[in-house]
Amino acid sequence: MKTICPCCQSTAVYEMTNGISINLIDQLLSPAVLVSLGVSLCKTLKVHPAIGVVAGTTIAALIEMTQSHQALPMLVNQQYRCDDCSHVFTTFH
């Protein structure tokens, strides 16, 4: 279903997202990056690298669990901008 602007009734609207910063954060907090960071930190501190693997995996799992709960409000409350009248509005799904 196409979203319609409430001001001018135009169908020329697009969803306003900040996908670049979300994508960058997802890449920086990916499990592979966190595990390799944990292993590197353990090697620097002269601790067994397996501890870094466990710590990185645990942190990645915790981040994944918190992100799944934060994704729900983004689906409910979406902002749109009209190309014709430049009106910014919110829809609730």
Side-chain angles (χ1 to χ4, degrees):
M1 183 173 154
K2 186 76 174 165
T3 305
I4 298 174
C5 176
C7 285
C8 67
Q9 304 303 318
S10 172
T11 58
V13 295
Y14 61 92
E15 184 178 353
M16 294 177 53
T17 59
N18 194 0
I20 296 170
S21 66
I22 292 171
N23 191 17
L24 181 62
I25 291 171
D26 286 343
Q27 288 177 358
L28 290 175
L29 297 178
S30 70
V33 171
L34 291 173
V35 168
S36 64
L37 180 65
V39 170
S40 297
L41 188 61
C42 284
K43 285 182 181 179
T44 303
L45 296 174
K46 298 185 191 248
V47 179
H48 197 277
I51 295 173
V53 171
V54 171
T57 305
T58 303
I59 292 171
L62 290 173
I63 290 172
E64 186 68 30
M65 287 188 319
T66 59
Q67 284 181 346
S68 65
H69 296 296
Q70 291 174 353
L72 184 59
M74 292 177 67
L75 295 174
V76 173
N77 189 7
Q78 297 175 337
Q79 280 194 331
Y80 293 89
R81 182 182 177 109
C82 179
D83 277 340
D84 292 338
C85 68
S86 299
H87 178 69
V88 177
F89 60 97
T90 304
T91 61
F92 300 99
H93 292 168

